[in-house]
Amino acid sequence: MAMTLHVDIVSAEEEIHSGSAAVVYAPARMGEVGIYPRHAPFLTHLKPGEIRVQTPEGKELFFFVSGGLLEVQPHVVTVLADTAIRAKDLDEAAALEAQKKAEQEMRDRKSEMDYAKAKAEFAQAAAQLRAIQKLRKRGRG
Amino acid sequence: MAGAKEIRTKIKSIQNTQKITKAMEMVAASKMRKAQERMREARPYAQKMRNVVAHIARAHTEYKHPFTIEREPRRVGFIIASTDRGLCGGLNVNMFRTIVSAMEEWRGQGIEIDLAIIGAKALGFFKRLGGNIVSEATHLGDSPALTDLIGAIKIMLDAYEDDRLDRLFLVHNDFINTMTQRPAVVQILPLPPSEEVELRHHWDYIYEPDSKQVLDVLLTRYIESLIYRGVVENIACEQAARMVAMKAASDNAGQLIDELQLVYNKARQAAITQEISEIVGGAAAV
């Protein structure tokens, strides 16, 4: 039997996913990481993006997170998400809108504070869009 | 005859009130179930977080985060989770009494108090009482989002980090069961040391970017989740208390209606008797 990982994705408001996986990819602060079974204990901070979970059956699941923490133990991966909504629930129009608003704010940046906030919003909107587009492609193919 | 009609109007009005209280009771019962569900859903996150925090606290003894350092109290903060609406029995009043006595105790030692308020009821109360309110979050609805609370919480956490606060407490109602809710004052900061569990084999995480940054984020999230849990629990308490209060109100209305019905029947009978005797008297006179 191939080795598997147990994955838990939870947010403060609800439990989002719990199941086994062959590989987990997550958007860590320092770049994307791929976690295979028997990974060394690892703790990092996530940036907005998607978490990909490859199940042992070869299916791929997507979860969008807007930040959070990733905890890895040899056979358990825990994602403590800030707000993780299932990728299929994402509203593309809202994401586009948010992106536009963030871009707008970036153009007429008033202060460093606003700029930092806008940049964060932009990153989040862009990641949501990427997740949606990926889902679309898979849906068609 | 002394107001058969008046009594009827009164009965009607009490019946209308009873309809309202009955409806509120049923709404509260279903909302309570949902609130309990949310409490349950928030549990895995808090549990996972507690595990990680406990592990780090043990693996990382050389780095002391400001949140874990005990200081001599000069100024304390209270985060108060109350309800937005009334008609929930003595829930808020009991809690306010607990807070006020706790505040008196600190004031007696010459210690100033800052308040962060969640819920419109506490806001009204402490405005009248004259507390030093530094932040507020009201009208969160039945399913509060963490994002609505972050602002209010952050003000207190920043104050703690800047040495402007030396203790932080959370006050909310503890959901014991549907009939019982008890106000609870929980110390949030400094984080109480976790129960020491003997480390069998020493191992540590690989931290990215480094342990301090990860720990900072983690502890903030942990505290936020604690407070979120308190707020959600308080909502379950609110609905339970409202359900019980409205049930009592409906029962009282039923009793009142029964009594009035009796009075009404007597009055009606008396009126009929009087009418008959008047007719008989009139016939005899002819």
Side-chain angles (χ1 to χ4, degrees), chain B residues 191-203:
Chain B
L191 285 168
S194 54
E195 321 81 72
E196 282 300 319
V197 183
E198 203 53 49
L199 264 171
R200 270 180 296 258
H201 43 254
H202 190 89
W203 59 273

Side-chain angles (χ1 to χ4, degrees), chain B:
Chain B
M1 184 53 232
K5 189 164 162 43
E6 275 157 43
I7 297 171
R8 219 166 41 220
T9 330
K10 215 168 183 178
I11 291 177
K12 198 90 202 152
S13 122
I14 294 172
Q15 272 171 343
N16 285 337
T17 310
Q18 195 187 25
K19 268 183 214 158
I20 295 171
T21 56
K22 256 199 187 130
M24 281 181 79
E25 181 194 333
M26 285 188 283
V27 170
S30 92
K31 279 189 178 169
M32 184 188 76
R33 268 195 296 278
K34 272 189 218 142
Q36 277 178 294
E37 182 76 6
R38 254 194 304 282
M39 252 166 78
R40 212 173 44 75
E41 279 183 340
R43 198 164 300 149
Y45 182 83
Q47 216 156 33
K48 291 269 154 55
M49 204 125 226
R50 201 168 312 124
N51 287 348
V52 179
V53 169
H55 179 85
I56 294 182
R58 268 180 272 128
H60 247 276
T61 43
E62 83 283 2
Y63 173 57
K64 282 256 185 262
H65 191 273
F67 286 170
T68 58
I69 296 169
E70 187 111 358
R71 289 193 296 250
E72 197 56 40
R74 281 161 295 143
R75 202 176 178 89
V76 298
F78 281 92
I79 296 179
I80 298 166
S82 75
T83 69
D84 273 330
R85 294 191 197 149
L87 290 182
C88 48
L91 189 75
N92 285 319
V93 179
N94 282 341
M95 188 168 80
F96 295 158
R97 198 179 302 139
T98 312
I99 299 168
V100 169
S101 71
M103 280 167 70
E104 285 300 317
E105 216 169 283
W106 286 111
R107 286 229 176 91
Q109 300 170 33
I111 289 163
E112 291 291 311
I113 294 157
D114 283 343
L115 300 172
I117 284 181
I118 300 162
K121 284 284 155 190
L123 188 63
F125 179 80
F126 287 100
K127 256 186 190 160
R128 256 179 289 128
L129 197 76
N132 180 25
I133 301 168
V134 293
S135 67
E136 55 164 272
T138 57
H139 303 289
L140 302 174
D142 295 322
S143 46
L146 191 58
T147 41
D148 300 330
L149 298 174
I150 286 175
I153 299 170
K154 195 170 161 42
I155 290 171
M156 293 309 245
L157 295 188
D158 286 352
Y160 189 86
E161 267 183 283
D162 297 349
D163 269 2
R164 280 179 284 124
L165 281 181
D166 307 298
R167 287 274 194 289
L168 184 60
F169 296 95
L170 169 69
V171 191
H172 68 98
N173 279 294
D174 226 344
F175 188 93
I176 296 164
N177 56 43
T178 319
M179 302 299 293
T180 339
Q181 297 88 33
R182 201 174 298 146
V185 183
V186 190
Q187 179 170 329
I188 299 282
L189 289 176
L191 285 168
S194 54
E195 321 81 72
E196 282 300 319
V197 183
E198 203 53 49
L199 264 171
R200 270 180 296 258
H201 43 254
H202 190 89
W203 59 273
D204 199 0
Y205 291 105
I206 302 168
Y207 299 92
E208 224 182 72
D210 65 61
S211 62
K212 280 176 196 162
Q213 282 186 38
V214 174
L215 205 56
D216 280 357
V217 175
L218 187 73
L219 287 178
T220 312
R221 294 285 192 287
Y222 178 59
I223 288 158
E224 281 168 2
S225 84
L226 281 181
I227 294 168
Y228 178 78
R229 201 192 130 73
V231 171
V232 171
E233 190 162 353
N234 197 63
I235 287 173
C237 289
E238 175 191 357
Q239 301 301 348
R242 178 166 301 134
M243 191 179 87
V244 172
M246 288 301 117
K247 178 151 179 47
S250 306
D251 290 351
N252 286 345
Q255 251 173 40
L256 219 57
I257 289 169
D258 285 348
E259 278 167 25
L260 280 175
Q261 194 72 48
L262 216 66
V263 177
Y264 171 74
N265 287 345
K266 271 187 190 153
R268 195 177 71 98
Q269 224 161 31
I272 292 168
T273 314
Q274 196 186 9
E275 236 170 79
I276 290 173
S277 66
E278 272 167 13
I279 292 168
V280 171
V286 173

Side-chain angles (χ1 to χ4, degrees), chain A residues 75-125:
Chain A
H75 288 281
V76 185
V77 175
T78 311
V79 180
L80 299 159
D82 283 353
T83 6
I85 319 156
R86 273 160 217 265
K88 65 172 188 272
D89 287 346
L90 291 182
D91 187 341
E92 189 166 21
L96 266 174
E97 169 115 321
Q99 191 175 22
K100 217 184 286 167
K101 233 172 35 198
E103 274 173 343
Q104 178 78 34
E105 242 166 271
M106 225 145 44
R107 262 200 297 280
D108 40 60
R109 66 195 247 210
K110 289 183 215 90
S111 65
E112 215 40 48
M113 249 293 262
D114 282 350
Y115 178 67
K117 198 174 146 225
K119 214 169 134 190
E121 272 175 24
F122 177 76
Q124 201 172 326

